[in-house]
Amino acid sequence: MTGPAPTAGERRRSRPAPWVRTRLRAAPLAALLAAALAFVAVLLAAALPRAVDRGADHALRSFLHERGPGETSLTAVASARYGQLTPADMDSVLAELRARTGDTFRVAPSGPVHGVRALKGRSLANPGLARPEGVAPRLSLLHLPGIAAHTELVAGRWPEGGAPGAPVPVALSRKASETLRAPLGTVLESVADLGTSDRAEVVGLYDADPADVYWTDLPCLTRACENVTVPPEPKVFWETAAVVGADSIDRLAPWGRGADFFWRLPVDTSVLRADRMPGVEREVAAFVAGPTASGLALAVKRPDLRITSRLPELFARAQARQQAAAPLAAIGPAGVAGVATVVFCLAAALGGDRREAELRLLLARGGSRRSIVRRLLGEGAVTVLPASALACWLALVLLPSPRATASLLAASAVALLALLAFPVRAFVLLSAPRGRSPRRRLVAELLVVAAAGAAVFEVRRRGVAPAGAGPDPLLIAAPLLLALTGGLLLARVQPVLVGALARAAARRPGVVGFLGLARAARGTGGRARPSVLPLVALLLAVTTAGFGVTVLGSVDSSRLEAARQAVGGDGRIVAREGDPLPPELVRAAAALPGVRTSVPVWTSDDAFLFGAGRGDPHVTVVVADPVAYAELARTAGRGGFDPAVLAAGGSGSPVPALFSSDLGGPAAGQEPLRLRIGGDELRVRAAAVVDGTPALDASATATIVLPAGPAATVVPGSARPNRWFATGLTDGARLAELVTAAAPGAAAERYRTATSSGIVAELAADPLQRSAGRLFWASLAGAAGFALLAVLLTLVRAAPERAALLARLRTMGLRPRQGVALILAEALPQALVAAFGGALVALAAVALLGPAVDLSTLVGSPVPTGLRAGVWPVLSQSLGLAGLVSAVVLAEAAVSGRRQITTELRAGDQR
């Protein structure tokens, strides 16, 4: 007979408890830590592509915005000689142009500009007009249908109703009217051109904001412009433009020897995206010379319609800049990814050590490896997947960007790694044991060394991937492969070194040092040597930090060098047209705080060298104090020499001089040559040959530098310098204030100032460079955090065995302070070896890969290829990480050491 069927409540009580719920209740802290690790890693992985995208978009938009709407516009032009267009026709052409935009780019909110313009201006013959140097002013005419929306009529009316034969009614800006002395009602008479003359009557005056982008490429409509006639007698004259009404369009061609219809469409650069640049390039190219241009010409029935733009060139330059910076910017994130992978492996190893007995028991009781791994996957999914989803959502919210695919892929990859790390480790633990195979490990290490050597060789052979080729995987992988190679090498060397230290400590009194070093040399958990994973994690972090800091340091030093070469030192005042500088200005500039060396310089282009064997005797002469000028040349990095070579001889002897290398013929010790400066003549001899002078632009050729004293006796004018240079920390604002005080008002415009610090600030303001710097420092912080976590996981993994040892020693009289010292002696050698070994690997990476790295894009100016290795920047990163690791080890020893010992003493030694 069968008993009664079990009730529903009895069936629920007899059902086994769910695996996942049981495991989470049994180890809530481990589940929480696993979720936290996955959250942080996924957050970084999802945030990184979005940060890169935002930086690339900002750099692109800033680069295009700095070029202004003139260079970032599409300009369509049609000649008026092929048929007149009414204002309605011009509007229809504009509508047709706008209709072809919108797919990948759009017109800027400032709106398009269109109209008709005379090709040339005419000189005005009115005797009462302003003539600064006796040259008649010039007037150009335009018709702009949309001008009323960008101006304010302040007097008269807008031009309209011009009768044939009567003066052309025009509206003129009030500033131009005041400058030219052409008030309202003035009839402007043009100079006869090809036998014809014409007149224009000022019927309206308007005010306009010159900063309005509407006036781009429409010069002299808001004021009168100062212009200069062509040589041989350059003279200043006034030039301006006036607007005519729609009924006077046919008068523009006779006035300017022809007229053009034009339509300018400014592209909205604030919405362009770096990832869509290829599509935008294709669309713009189609506008300029492609199917869109042909279709527009047919649609508007103007076969002469021409569309031009500098946008294709600017797009190519922007993409080249981004691609050149991408490999260097990707090194930091690659280092973080490597360290994070090691941390996941360490976490999986820790979980495997803690649960190995449990997993083997399940296998012994009939469980299969597949079912056990499936349960572990379910266990991990409950903790890892929600944390990963939350981290990914948080990254999408905190860093808004229109692109999410890369972030989702990176987050998915990291989440998958976090989910599979422990199940894979468990699968390996439950597999059939295999004997140790030193040969297999040696082969794997040799493969890593070969891969690192091949990467370095290839980077050195071909250099970094050219612009436009995308991030260079070899340049990104090479430092990491070198770090991995260094870690494997140190893993073999460290036990030998630490074992030698342990043997040395055994000969000294006390057992703490010997025990700690011995455990550090042989590893824990029955292993023959310490685990290589923490060492690799630390080396990856230190190598990435050292290499990146070297890159940034080289960028800073190269930027300062480029700025000094552009300025000619650290500060500069230059008088225009060769006028002498006021003596009080030179004295005040020399007294500025931070000025280390003051170098007054006199230069002249009116000099000729005879007897040098050159076809062109024309040279540029620089006169300066030899000692101060030598310091300036050394600081600027151009034209360096020993000031002793310019020591003057006796009375009547030739003046020693520095000859630029492009003079070619003269060399030290040759016969004296004749140098004529203006109306004065002196004999000079070549005391040395230099590669240039900081007092002039790098493009200056055929230069001779003379010492101030001997030159002043022959050329008196050289005693009044027309240029001033300084070395030292020169404040650009203070320098400009001095110039304004010495020459107030318009006279201050005769002097130009510049400082190296100002140019450095301008170069460093590039968003592309700032984005790369922020990305590196964020990556460095992430790599350091994961490296510290690797050390902590290593300590936690060895904690049970260490606690048992300390408990035994405690029963034999070991004091708590000695227990902390033993933990430090065990854990610190690996950290210190990794820190300083990483510094050596970073320096090696710089030496091996540095010559192939071009920093011109990050510097903002062309600079020689190569990195400048500095020991201290790399060592500071290593010392900083070593200090953090030591603090973590000390904190772990102080906090958990005593608690573990107490637990072991209460539970008894069951090992």
PDB file of all heavy atoms in Angstrom, residues 705-734:
ATOM      1  N   VAL A 705      76.570  88.271 -37.564  1.00  0.00           N
ATOM      2  CA  VAL A 705      76.418  88.798 -36.206  1.00  0.00           C
ATOM      3  C   VAL A 705      77.722  89.481 -35.818  1.00  0.00           C
ATOM      4  O   VAL A 705      78.799  88.878 -35.897  1.00  0.00           O
ATOM      5  CB  VAL A 705      76.073  87.676 -35.206  1.00  0.00           C
ATOM      6  CG1 VAL A 705      75.899  88.248 -33.808  1.00  0.00           C
ATOM      7  CG2 VAL A 705      74.805  86.944 -35.652  1.00  0.00           C
ATOM      8  N   LEU A 706      77.616  90.754 -35.380  1.00  0.00           N
ATOM      9  CA  LEU A 706      78.770  91.547 -34.992  1.00  0.00           C
ATOM     10  C   LEU A 706      78.703  91.887 -33.510  1.00  0.00           C
ATOM     11  O   LEU A 706      77.605  92.087 -32.970  1.00  0.00           O
ATOM     12  CB  LEU A 706      78.824  92.855 -35.797  1.00  0.00           C
ATOM     13  CG  LEU A 706      78.924  92.734 -37.320  1.00  0.00           C
ATOM     14  CD1 LEU A 706      78.853  94.110 -37.954  1.00  0.00           C
ATOM     15  CD2 LEU A 706      80.209  92.020 -37.711  1.00  0.00           C
ATOM     16  N   PRO A 707      79.859  91.977 -32.821  1.00  0.00           N
ATOM     17  CA  PRO A 707      79.850  92.422 -31.420  1.00  0.00           C
ATOM     18  C   PRO A 707      79.499  93.896 -31.346  1.00  0.00           C
ATOM     19  O   PRO A 707      79.876  94.701 -32.210  1.00  0.00           O
ATOM     20  CB  PRO A 707      81.282  92.134 -30.963  1.00  0.00           C
ATOM     21  CG  PRO A 707      82.095  92.120 -32.215  1.00  0.00           C
ATOM     22  CD  PRO A 707      81.205  91.630 -33.299  1.00  0.00           C
ATOM     23  N   ALA A 708      78.772  94.289 -30.296  1.00  0.00           N
ATOM     24  CA  ALA A 708      78.208  95.634 -30.201  1.00  0.00           C
ATOM     25  C   ALA A 708      79.285  96.712 -30.148  1.00  0.00           C
ATOM     26  O   ALA A 708      79.180  97.743 -30.828  1.00  0.00           O
ATOM     27  CB  ALA A 708      77.294  95.728 -28.995  1.00  0.00           C
ATOM     28  N   GLY A 709      80.343  96.504 -29.345  1.00  0.00           N
ATOM     29  CA  GLY A 709      81.337  97.555 -29.174  1.00  0.00           C
ATOM     30  C   GLY A 709      82.044  97.946 -30.450  1.00  0.00           C
ATOM     31  O   GLY A 709      81.970  99.101 -30.897  1.00  0.00           O
ATOM     32  N   PRO A 710      82.763  97.049 -31.112  1.00  0.00           N
ATOM     33  CA  PRO A 710      83.462  97.411 -32.356  1.00  0.00           C
ATOM     34  C   PRO A 710      82.536  97.890 -33.453  1.00  0.00           C
ATOM     35  O   PRO A 710      82.891  98.777 -34.234  1.00  0.00           O
ATOM     36  CB  PRO A 710      84.172  96.116 -32.742  1.00  0.00           C
ATOM     37  CG  PRO A 710      84.289  95.340 -31.474  1.00  0.00           C
ATOM     38  CD  PRO A 710      83.074  95.685 -30.681  1.00  0.00           C
ATOM     39  N   ALA A 711      81.327  97.324 -33.531  1.00  0.00           N
ATOM     40  CA  ALA A 711      80.409  97.739 -34.594  1.00  0.00           C
ATOM     41  C   ALA A 711      79.930  99.158 -34.384  1.00  0.00           C
ATOM     42  O   ALA A 711      79.743  99.921 -35.340  1.00  0.00           O
ATOM     43  CB  ALA A 711      79.224  96.779 -34.668  1.00  0.00           C
ATOM     44  N   ALA A 712      79.717  99.559 -33.107  1.00  0.00           N
ATOM     45  CA  ALA A 712      79.195 100.900 -32.839  1.00  0.00           C
ATOM     46  C   ALA A 712      80.175 101.991 -33.215  1.00  0.00           C
ATOM     47  O   ALA A 712      79.773 103.110 -33.547  1.00  0.00           O
ATOM     48  CB  ALA A 712      78.807 101.016 -31.364  1.00  0.00           C
ATOM     49  N   THR A 713      81.471 101.682 -33.179  1.00  0.00           N
ATOM     50  CA  THR A 713      82.455 102.706 -33.543  1.00  0.00           C
ATOM     51  C   THR A 713      82.413 103.025 -35.030  1.00  0.00           C
ATOM     52  O   THR A 713      82.780 104.132 -35.441  1.00  0.00           O
ATOM     53  CB  THR A 713      83.860 102.217 -33.163  1.00  0.00           C
ATOM     54  OG1 THR A 713      84.137 100.998 -33.861  1.00  0.00           O
ATOM     55  CG2 THR A 713      83.955 101.977 -31.665  1.00  0.00           C
ATOM     56  N   VAL A 714      82.000 102.070 -35.863  1.00  0.00           N
ATOM     57  CA  VAL A 714      81.945 102.279 -37.303  1.00  0.00           C
ATOM     58  C   VAL A 714      80.527 102.628 -37.763  1.00  0.00           C
ATOM     59  O   VAL A 714      80.331 103.469 -38.644  1.00  0.00           O
ATOM     60  CB  VAL A 714      82.457 101.034 -38.050  1.00  0.00           C
ATOM     61  CG1 VAL A 714      82.418 101.256 -39.562  1.00  0.00           C
ATOM     62  CG2 VAL A 714      83.855 100.677 -37.595  1.00  0.00           C
ATOM     63  N   VAL A 715      79.528 101.964 -37.157  1.00  0.00           N
ATOM     64  CA  VAL A 715      78.116 102.188 -37.515  1.00  0.00           C
ATOM     65  C   VAL A 715      77.433 102.785 -36.293  1.00  0.00           C
ATOM     66  O   VAL A 715      76.943 102.044 -35.428  1.00  0.00           O
ATOM     67  CB  VAL A 715      77.436 100.877 -37.952  1.00  0.00           C
ATOM     68  CG1 VAL A 715      76.021 101.156 -38.470  1.00  0.00           C
ATOM     69  CG2 VAL A 715      78.248 100.164 -39.015  1.00  0.00           C
ATOM     70  N   PRO A 716      77.388 104.098 -36.140  1.00  0.00           N
ATOM     71  CA  PRO A 716      76.815 104.701 -34.920  1.00  0.00           C
ATOM     72  C   PRO A 716      75.363 104.317 -34.681  1.00  0.00           C
ATOM     73  O   PRO A 716      74.923 104.210 -33.534  1.00  0.00           O
ATOM     74  CB  PRO A 716      76.962 106.207 -35.176  1.00  0.00           C
ATOM     75  CG  PRO A 716      78.052 106.317 -36.195  1.00  0.00           C
ATOM     76  CD  PRO A 716      77.933 105.099 -37.060  1.00  0.00           C
ATOM     77  N   GLY A 717      74.619 104.100 -35.748  1.00  0.00           N
ATOM     78  CA  GLY A 717      73.208 103.761 -35.561  1.00  0.00           C
ATOM     79  C   GLY A 717      72.990 102.448 -34.847  1.00  0.00           C
ATOM     80  O   GLY A 717      71.922 102.209 -34.273  1.00  0.00           O
ATOM     81  N   SER A 718      73.985 101.554 -34.855  1.00  0.00           N
ATOM     82  CA  SER A 718      73.812 100.252 -34.202  1.00  0.00           C
ATOM     83  C   SER A 718      73.780 100.367 -32.684  1.00  0.00           C
ATOM     84  O   SER A 718      73.442  99.392 -32.008  1.00  0.00           O
ATOM     85  CB  SER A 718      74.936  99.310 -34.627  1.00  0.00           C
ATOM     86  OG  SER A 718      76.197  99.790 -34.172  1.00  0.00           O
ATOM     87  N   ALA A 719      74.117 101.530 -32.141  1.00  0.00           N
ATOM     88  CA  ALA A 719      74.050 101.717 -30.693  1.00  0.00           C
ATOM     89  C   ALA A 719      72.617 101.920 -30.210  1.00  0.00           C
ATOM     90  O   ALA A 719      72.377 101.932 -28.990  1.00  0.00           O
ATOM     91  CB  ALA A 719      74.919 102.908 -30.282  1.00  0.00           C
ATOM     92  N   ARG A 720      71.683 102.109 -31.123  1.00  0.00           N
ATOM     93  CA  ARG A 720      70.263 102.294 -30.764  1.00  0.00           C
ATOM     94  C   ARG A 720      69.498 101.055 -31.208  1.00  0.00           C
ATOM     95  O   ARG A 720      69.130 100.925 -32.378  1.00  0.00           O
ATOM     96  CB  ARG A 720      69.707 103.545 -31.423  1.00  0.00           C
ATOM     97  CG  ARG A 720      70.465 104.820 -31.058  1.00  0.00           C
ATOM     98  CD  ARG A 720      69.788 106.025 -31.672  1.00  0.00           C
ATOM     99  NE  ARG A 720      68.446 106.194 -31.155  1.00  0.00           N
ATOM    100  CZ  ARG A 720      67.540 107.036 -31.677  1.00  0.00           C
ATOM    101  NH1 ARG A 720      67.863 107.754 -32.747  1.00  0.00           N
ATOM    102  NH2 ARG A 720      66.338 107.143 -31.143  1.00  0.00           N
ATOM    103  N   PRO A 721      69.294 100.085 -30.331  1.00  0.00           N
ATOM    104  CA  PRO A 721      68.678  98.802 -30.735  1.00  0.00           C
ATOM    105  C   PRO A 721      67.248  98.992 -31.224  1.00  0.00           C
ATOM    106  O   PRO A 721      66.511  99.860 -30.741  1.00  0.00           O
ATOM    107  CB  PRO A 721      68.736  97.966 -29.451  1.00  0.00           C
ATOM    108  CG  PRO A 721      68.786  98.972 -28.353  1.00  0.00           C
ATOM    109  CD  PRO A 721      69.560 100.135 -28.886  1.00  0.00           C
ATOM    110  N   ASN A 722      66.869  98.159 -32.175  1.00  0.00           N
ATOM    111  CA  ASN A 722      65.483  98.146 -32.653  1.00  0.00           C
ATOM    112  C   ASN A 722      64.765  96.849 -32.287  1.00  0.00           C
ATOM    113  O   ASN A 722      63.618  96.642 -32.683  1.00  0.00           O
ATOM    114  CB  ASN A 722      65.425  98.373 -34.159  1.00  0.00           C
ATOM    115  CG  ASN A 722      66.357  97.448 -34.929  1.00  0.00           C
ATOM    116  OD1 ASN A 722      66.741  96.383 -34.431  1.00  0.00           O
ATOM    117  ND2 ASN A 722      66.749  97.851 -36.134  1.00  0.00           N
ATOM    118  N   ARG A 723      65.438  95.986 -31.573  1.00  0.00           N
ATOM    119  CA  ARG A 723      64.829  94.755 -31.050  1.00  0.00           C
ATOM    120  C   ARG A 723      65.368  94.506 -29.651  1.00  0.00           C
ATOM    121  O   ARG A 723      66.509  94.866 -29.344  1.00  0.00           O
ATOM    122  CB  ARG A 723      65.135  93.533 -31.933  1.00  0.00           C
ATOM    123  CG  ARG A 723      64.554  93.610 -33.336  1.00  0.00           C
ATOM    124  CD  ARG A 723      65.060  92.492 -34.236  1.00  0.00           C
ATOM    125  NE  ARG A 723      64.517  92.614 -35.577  1.00  0.00           N
ATOM    126  CZ  ARG A 723      63.619  91.797 -36.108  1.00  0.00           C
ATOM    127  NH1 ARG A 723      63.165  90.783 -35.388  1.00  0.00           N
ATOM    128  NH2 ARG A 723      63.176  91.971 -37.335  1.00  0.00           N
ATOM    129  N   TRP A 724      64.520  93.889 -28.835  1.00  0.00           N
ATOM    130  CA  TRP A 724      64.932  93.542 -27.469  1.00  0.00           C
ATOM    131  C   TRP A 724      64.477  92.123 -27.183  1.00  0.00           C
ATOM    132  O   TRP A 724      63.333  91.742 -27.482  1.00  0.00           O
ATOM    133  CB  TRP A 724      64.316  94.496 -26.448  1.00  0.00           C
ATOM    134  CG  TRP A 724      64.625  94.128 -25.021  1.00  0.00           C
ATOM    135  CD1 TRP A 724      65.739  94.439 -24.317  1.00  0.00           C
ATOM    136  CD2 TRP A 724      63.788  93.370 -24.140  1.00  0.00           C
ATOM    137  NE1 TRP A 724      65.660  93.937 -23.050  1.00  0.00           N
ATOM    138  CE2 TRP A 724      64.477  93.262 -22.901  1.00  0.00           C
ATOM    139  CE3 TRP A 724      62.538  92.762 -24.256  1.00  0.00           C
ATOM    140  CZ2 TRP A 724      63.948  92.578 -21.807  1.00  0.00           C
ATOM    141  CZ3 TRP A 724      62.010  92.081 -23.173  1.00  0.00           C
ATOM    142  CH2 TRP A 724      62.705  91.998 -21.969  1.00  0.00           C
ATOM    143  N   PHE A 725      65.401  91.322 -26.624  1.00  0.00           N
ATOM    144  CA  PHE A 725      65.107  89.936 -26.288  1.00  0.00           C
ATOM    145  C   PHE A 725      65.455  89.691 -24.823  1.00  0.00           C
ATOM    146  O   PHE A 725      66.282  90.423 -24.235  1.00  0.00           O
ATOM    147  CB  PHE A 725      65.895  88.977 -27.178  1.00  0.00           C
ATOM    148  CG  PHE A 725      65.542  89.068 -28.633  1.00  0.00           C
ATOM    149  CD1 PHE A 725      66.212  89.953 -29.471  1.00  0.00           C
ATOM    150  CD2 PHE A 725      64.535  88.291 -29.167  1.00  0.00           C
ATOM    151  CE1 PHE A 725      65.902  90.051 -30.803  1.00  0.00           C
ATOM    152  CE2 PHE A 725      64.205  88.383 -30.509  1.00  0.00           C
ATOM    153  CZ  PHE A 725      64.887  89.266 -31.327  1.00  0.00           C
ATOM    154  N   ALA A 726      64.845  88.666 -24.261  1.00  0.00           N
ATOM    155  CA  ALA A 726      65.091  88.336 -22.855  1.00  0.00           C
ATOM    156  C   ALA A 726      65.059  86.830 -22.682  1.00  0.00           C
ATOM    157  O   ALA A 726      64.376  86.110 -23.419  1.00  0.00           O
ATOM    158  CB  ALA A 726      64.049  88.980 -21.948  1.00  0.00           C
ATOM    159  N   THR A 727      65.813  86.361 -21.707  1.00  0.00           N
ATOM    160  CA  THR A 727      65.710  84.981 -21.241  1.00  0.00           C
ATOM    161  C   THR A 727      65.194  85.017 -19.811  1.00  0.00           C
ATOM    162  O   THR A 727      65.437  85.968 -19.072  1.00  0.00           O
ATOM    163  CB  THR A 727      67.063  84.270 -21.301  1.00  0.00           C
ATOM    164  OG1 THR A 727      67.964  84.905 -20.377  1.00  0.00           O
ATOM    165  CG2 THR A 727      67.656  84.335 -22.698  1.00  0.00           C
ATOM    166  N   GLY A 728      64.491  83.982 -19.437  1.00  0.00           N
ATOM    167  CA  GLY A 728      63.898  83.942 -18.108  1.00  0.00           C
ATOM    168  C   GLY A 728      62.384  83.996 -18.209  1.00  0.00           C
ATOM    169  O   GLY A 728      61.795  84.114 -19.290  1.00  0.00           O
ATOM    170  N   LEU A 729      61.731  83.924 -17.063  1.00  0.00           N
ATOM    171  CA  LEU A 729      60.266  83.905 -17.000  1.00  0.00           C
ATOM    172  C   LEU A 729      59.748  85.319 -17.231  1.00  0.00           C
ATOM    173  O   LEU A 729      59.739  86.150 -16.322  1.00  0.00           O
ATOM    174  CB  LEU A 729      59.806  83.364 -15.647  1.00  0.00           C
ATOM    175  CG  LEU A 729      58.305  83.124 -15.492  1.00  0.00           C
ATOM    176  CD1 LEU A 729      57.819  82.112 -16.508  1.00  0.00           C
ATOM    177  CD2 LEU A 729      57.985  82.663 -14.084  1.00  0.00           C
ATOM    178  N   THR A 730      59.316  85.605 -18.452  1.00  0.00           N
ATOM    179  CA  THR A 730      58.868  86.943 -18.830  1.00  0.00           C
ATOM    180  C   THR A 730      57.348  86.975 -18.899  1.00  0.00           C
ATOM    181  O   THR A 730      56.730  86.145 -19.568  1.00  0.00           O
ATOM    182  CB  THR A 730      59.455  87.333 -20.199  1.00  0.00           C
ATOM    183  OG1 THR A 730      60.875  87.125 -20.173  1.00  0.00           O
ATOM    184  CG2 THR A 730      59.164  88.783 -20.517  1.00  0.00           C
ATOM    185  N   ASP A 731      56.753  87.944 -18.198  1.00  0.00           N
ATOM    186  CA  ASP A 731      55.299  88.088 -18.162  1.00  0.00           C
ATOM    187  C   ASP A 731      54.849  88.886 -19.377  1.00  0.00           C
ATOM    188  O   ASP A 731      55.227  90.050 -19.548  1.00  0.00           O
ATOM    189  CB  ASP A 731      54.893  88.799 -16.865  1.00  0.00           C
ATOM    190  CG  ASP A 731      53.382  88.795 -16.657  1.00  0.00           C
ATOM    191  OD1 ASP A 731      52.660  88.499 -17.621  1.00  0.00           O
ATOM    192  OD2 ASP A 731      52.942  89.078 -15.533  1.00  0.00           O
ATOM    193  N   GLY A 732      54.034  88.265 -20.219  1.00  0.00           N
ATOM    194  CA  GLY A 732      53.584  88.935 -21.430  1.00  0.00           C
ATOM    195  C   GLY A 732      52.710  90.141 -21.149  1.00  0.00           C
ATOM    196  O   GLY A 732      52.805  91.165 -21.836  1.00  0.00           O
ATOM    197  N   ALA A 733      51.830  90.069 -20.130  1.00  0.00           N
ATOM    198  CA  ALA A 733      50.961  91.194 -19.812  1.00  0.00           C
ATOM    199  C   ALA A 733      51.770  92.391 -19.321  1.00  0.00           C
ATOM    200  O   ALA A 733      51.518  93.542 -19.709  1.00  0.00           O
ATOM    201  CB  ALA A 733      49.925  90.774 -18.769  1.00  0.00           C
ATOM    202  N   ARG A 734      52.747  92.141 -18.462  1.00  0.00           N
ATOM    203  CA  ARG A 734      53.588  93.233 -17.967  1.00  0.00           C
ATOM    204  C   ARG A 734      54.388  93.857 -19.104  1.00  0.00           C
ATOM    205  O   ARG A 734      54.592  95.074 -19.159  1.00  0.00           O
ATOM    206  CB  ARG A 734      54.538  92.710 -16.884  1.00  0.00           C
ATOM    207  CG  ARG A 734      53.849  92.199 -15.625  1.00  0.00           C
ATOM    208  CD  ARG A 734      53.393  93.353 -14.757  1.00  0.00           C
ATOM    209  NE  ARG A 734      54.516  94.172 -14.303  1.00  0.00           N
ATOM    210  CZ  ARG A 734      55.222  93.899 -13.217  1.00  0.00           C
ATOM    211  NH1 ARG A 734      54.945  92.828 -12.486  1.00  0.00           N
ATOM    212  NH2 ARG A 734      56.199  94.702 -12.857  1.00  0.00           N
TER     213      ARG A 734
END
